[in-house]
Every structure is written in C-alpha cells, then in structure tokens.
Amino acid sequence: MAGDFFSDVQGRIPFAGSGSSDPLAFTVYDPDRLVLGTPMADHLRVGVCLWHSFAWDGRDMFGLGTLDRPWLAADADPMAAARQRMAAAFEFIEKLGVPYYCFHDRDVAPEGESFAEFRSNLDALTDDALGYQERTGARLLWGTANLFSHPRYQAGAATNPDPEVFAYAAAQVRMMLEVTQRLGGTNYVLWGGREGYDTLLNTDLRREGAQLARFLHLVAEHKARIGFAGTLLIEPKPMEPTKHQYDYDAATVHGFLVRHGLDGEYRLNIEANHATLAGHSFHHEVAYSVAHGILGSIDANRGDPQNGWDTDQFPNSVEDLALPLLEILRGGGLGTGGFNFDAKLRRQSMDRTDLFHAHIGGIDTLARALLVAADMLEAGTLDAMREERYAGWSGPLGQEILEGRLSLADLAERVESGAVDPVRRSGRQELLENVVNRHIWTVREG
Ligand code: XLS
Ligand code: CA
Ligand code: CA
C-alpha cells in the first residue's frame, strides 16, 4: 500500500474480532458482516474529515500547533504543501479502509491572491483527488465551502449586511458544488458558519432571514441547473462562532425551510456535539429528523458534559449511539448520507498513529451500537410498547378525531354524557430503560 506518512501501519487495518488486543485492528467493525441483511459498511458509510484530521496542527487560541504533521510544514510552497496534505489523507483513508471522505474547499486548496487563483488551485487539486479516488476506491461523502474563516465573512456570508459578501459566498458555493459534482459526491453540506449575530444592537433579523432564504433558493436552483444528483444538506448548530446561529437545531431549520418553500430541497446533517450544545440529546435531533423525513447524514463526534463548547471529540459511548442508530434503522437507513468523523484529537495526542486509534475506536463504537440497535429492532419490544401506548388512536374515538369528524362540542357532549372517561396508564420509563440496557449488555459480537 503506497504512502510514507503512516509507516506504523503497513497494510489495511484488519478486522481481528472481539478477542484481539491489537490496537491497530478493528474488534467489532467487520465491513462485510451482514446486519439485518445489509453489510455493516453500507449501514455506516463511514467518512474521514480532512479539516480536523489533515488541515489542523493542534493549535488553539492559547497556543501553537502540537501535532506531528509533516504535510503542514509552514515553509513549504502552498501548492506543494496542499499535495502532501492530500497524499497523507488518501494514504490514511486507504489504510483505515473506510469508503468516504469530506472536505471544505479551503482544506485542500490554497486561496492565493484572488478568486481566480483559488479556483485554479482547487481545480488542479480536484484533478488530483479524482486520481486518488480511482486508485484507492475512496469516494466523496460531501463537499462544502468554507464561508467563515476569511475575514471577509466576519459578519456572515449570506446574512452579511453587505451584498458583495453575499455575492462572494455565492461564487464560492457555486464553485464547490461543481467540484463536489465532479468528484461524484453524494451530498453537499451548508453549515451556517457565521450566519447568526454577536449582538442584536446591529442586527436586522427579518432582513437576514430573507437573505439566507434567497441564498438557499439560489443553491437549490443551481443544483437543478447542473443536474447534481446528490442531496443538499444543512447542518444545524446553535452557537459558536456567533453568539446565536440561525440554524439553531433541527426543528428551527425545518421551520425555516417550510416557511420559505425550501422543504423538499434540503435535508439535515446532524452533528452530535451540536445537538448537545443546543441543549438536546443527539438522540433527540436524529429522532426529530427521522420523524419528519429530513435526516440526511451524520457528523459523528461527542462533546464534553462539563464543557460548554464544541469539543468535537471522537465518539466512544455505545449508550449514546445505540438509540440514534435505532431511529436511523427505523427510518430506513441513511440513504445518500453516512457517518462522517467530524472529530479532532486532543492536542496531546500528537503522534500520527493517534489518528488511527481515534478512528478505530470511533468506528468500533459505531459498529457495536449498530448491533445493539439492530437487536432492539429485531426483538421489537420497544416498538410494540410504543405502539401499544397509542392504541386508542387506532380505535373509533381516535380515528374520528383525526379524520375531523368530531367538533369541540361533539367531544364535550361525549365527556358530559360519561361515554368518555379516561383511565391513566403507566409510561413505564424505567422498564423501557431496562429493556435498552439488556440489549446493550447482551448483544453478541460474533
Ligand atoms: C463546525 C461544523 C463544520 C461543518 C462543515 O462546527 O461542524 O465543521 O461540519 O463546515
Ligand atoms: Ca460538522
Ligand atoms: Ca462541530
């Protein structure tokens, strides 16, 4: 297997089974193993993100980079460095043996001195990426434009008070949507980088909402014009970098899309750490999206329960992932989406091999959660108990209400006559929690 950056790993990371103590092997993730009749790899559709894992050297607002990343050497020529970065990324993806990757335009291409130069850099690197895709079999899960790092976007992109910034963002999204199409990407993501506000004192909420809706219409129109076959996704996040982000959570984005006639054009990319920042569980955000038919893809990571920011850690809890996976299975799977590891190492995890440990652990955790979810779905206990809870709505009274055949006065009359006299029933939460735990404790790996 070609490559010079990850010499600790010579070939593809193997599946070694649950008894293995080899840190560079999967113990649960067996890509070909059938789960509910579908290979594990096709359920999870795992992706590696290029920003945290290949374009970041560990720097934070308090200090310099700590990670051993020779492809990020500061003194290199920008295009030569970009090529090294891409070589490192594809070597890693091939050795990890996952099917997908994701990137922002700026993760791969130097911006240069002008938009035209940025475009030509990105075109050249897209050619390179096509070659790597062919050689390694890796595919693009999604592309996206970075509309938040450059100072021009300090006050947002589509929601900027200056229409010239809106135009610049439009040019960037058009370019990156077309690059995503050229690479056969299965989705295109819009995360509202700085679409929000720092203070309401200088912000016109009504205007900014209208601008954002216009922008999203333009993107959907361009998608149709060029015949991009993938799915457009919006990624909700409640705060950071701005004090308040407009795409707060799944329900807020859903409402916005419906209000502006954009539902049907966009689905959601749900990130676990953004869910918890919004005061929800990841389970809630996935369940909301599945319930409304708008789940598109997942950014897999976790937050820190004691820290109130976007720590983007690799997921490591089967408990946290099993119920979201149950919702995904109930909803018929991820479609064009997948599980993209939008997660970063801690600054002290400086060795290149730590990238393997992080991804192997995250993928094994996902795989184990998938087995638990499939076991819950097959046993059917949770579904049956939920169904039974609503049984009255399948009876005559429930049906007449839902079909609009009873007025308020009709209902009052039934209550007054004594024909309707509700009896309370247990919600059985603790019993349900025990059912979930028993699946987690007993599901078998092999
Ligand atoms: C930031 C977001 C971002 C998107 C892509 O918090 O997670 O990385 O996934 O722009
Ligand atoms: Ca994300
Ligand atoms: Ca994040």
Side-chain angles (χ1 to χ4, degrees):
M1 211 165 265
D4 314 313
F5 292 111
F6 296 98
S7 50
D8 285 359
V9 177
Q10 283 306 324
R12 180 157 293 183
I13 298 290
F15 166 68
S18 61
S20 173
S21 57
D22 179 357
L24 290 169
F26 293 112
T27 59
V28 194
Y29 181 68
D30 178 3
D32 299 325
R33 174 173 173 181
L34 295 182
V35 178
L36 302 173
T38 301
M40 246 183 191
D42 296 347
H43 276 289
L44 299 176
R45 299 163 57 85
V46 170
V48 167
C49 89
L50 298 202
W51 50 103
H52 289 320
S53 293
F54 293 92
W56 176 65
D57 62 3
R59 75 187 55 202
D60 66 10
M61 65 265 244
F62 300 101
L64 302 180
T66 53
L67 309 179
D68 172 29
R69 297 288 181 265
W71 58 86
L72 293 178
D75 49 357
D77 160 71
M79 274 307 269
R83 294 211 154 94
Q84 293 278 293
R85 198 151 71 231
M86 190 172 283
F90 278 98
E91 180 187 342
F92 178 80
I93 294 163
E94 191 181 14
K95 287 182 170 172
L96 189 64
V98 298
Y100 288 107
Y101 70 104
C102 300
F103 71 96
H104 303 81
D105 46 5
R106 274 182 58 133
D107 301 331
V108 304
E111 279 188 293
E113 299 296 322
S114 65
F115 189 82
E117 195 180 333
F118 188 22
R119 184 173 188 131
S120 105
N121 289 345
L122 185 59
D123 277 344
L125 286 151
T126 303
D127 291 341
D128 291 1
L130 275 169
Y132 280 113
Q133 290 192 171
E134 211 155 286
R135 284 197 288 287
T136 63
R139 286 159 288 158
L140 181 63
L141 183 63
W142 49 262
T144 187
N146 178 326
L147 306 179
F148 44 91
S149 291
H150 193 281
R152 84 173 59 83
Y153 294 124
Q154 64 178 22
T159 63
N160 201 286
D162 179 355
E164 293 204 7
V165 177
F166 182 108
Y168 210 100
Q172 219 180 311
V173 169
R174 177 194 150 191
M175 170 171 77
M176 194 52 201
L177 185 58
E178 292 177 1
V179 162
T180 302
Q181 182 182 35
R182 263 184 77 201
L183 291 171
T186 53
N187 306 273
Y188 182 86
V189 165
L190 292 118
W191 166 57
R194 294 182 193 272
E195 313 293 24
Y197 60 79
D198 294 329
T199 172
L200 282 170
L201 292 174
N202 61 13
T203 302
D204 183 333
L205 288 175
R206 190 198 54 77
R207 275 178 191 279
E208 296 201 0
Q211 288 171 214
L212 183 56
R214 187 85 290 276
F215 195 86
L216 295 178
H217 275 293
L218 291 176
V219 177
E221 281 161 24
H222 195 69
K223 172 194 159 168
R225 187 166 307 133
I226 64 176
F228 174 60
T231 311
L232 295 177
L233 302 175
I234 296 181
E235 181 178 324
K237 185 174 183 179
M239 64 193 83
E240 198 200 18
T242 67
K243 168 186 165 61
H244 173 92
Q245 305 265 135
Y246 295 135
D247 295 337
Y248 199 92
D249 60 2
T252 306
V253 174
H254 185 213
F256 185 88
L257 292 174
V258 172
R259 204 153 63 243
H260 294 282
L262 286 158
D263 48 326
E265 300 283 7
Y266 289 87
R267 286 172 168 258
L268 303 186
N269 184 41
I270 299 296
E271 180 175 316
N273 200 168
H274 297 180
T276 50
L277 278 180
H280 301 307
S281 62
F282 178 43
H283 183 194
H284 168 91
E285 288 292 86
V286 172
Y288 181 92
S289 306
V290 170
H292 295 89
I294 51 171
L295 182 67
S297 198
I298 300 289
D299 270 6
N301 59 21
R302 72 177 207 271
D304 181 307
Q306 277 79 47
N307 292 160
W309 68 87
D310 196 16
T311 61
D312 282 342
Q313 286 162 259
F314 280 81
N316 69 352
S317 159
V318 174
E319 276 82 351
D320 287 351
L321 291 174
L323 291 171
L325 268 155
L326 176 61
E327 303 292 346
I328 291 169
L329 291 177
R330 278 176 176 156
L334 282 171
T336 61
F339 277 89
N340 164 48
F341 279 91
D342 189 354
K344 60 178 194 254
L345 295 170
R346 299 305 90 190
R347 285 179 89 240
Q348 295 179 58
S349 304
M350 52 182 273
D351 295 344
R352 281 172 250 166
T353 311
D354 287 317
L355 270 178
F356 277 101
H357 297 313
H359 283 85
I360 289 170
I363 293 168
D364 267 343
T365 307
L366 268 181
R368 171 104 192 148
L370 173 68
L371 294 178
V372 173
D375 197 48
M376 290 193 279
L377 193 73
E378 272 188 319
T381 318
L382 296 172
D383 284 337
M385 287 173 72
R386 191 165 73 162
E387 197 59 31
E388 193 198 333
R389 186 157 180 255
Y390 292 92
W393 288 97
S394 307
L397 177 64
Q399 288 296 303
E400 281 180 84
I401 293 173
L402 291 177
E403 285 162 12
R405 285 190 272 128
L406 295 174
S407 66
L408 272 191
D410 295 333
L411 290 168
E413 199 253 310
R414 293 201 189 182
V415 172
E416 277 159 20
S417 72
V420 166
D421 188 11
V423 178
R424 291 185 307 117
R425 297 175 59 204
S426 171
R428 301 192 285 186
Q429 180 172 336
E430 294 76 9
L431 169 57
L432 289 161
E433 288 166 352
N434 294 351
V435 170
V436 171
N437 273 345
R438 285 183 191 181
H439 282 284
I440 291 174
W441 295 335
T442 61
V443 78
R444 291 158 56 89
E445 259 142 44

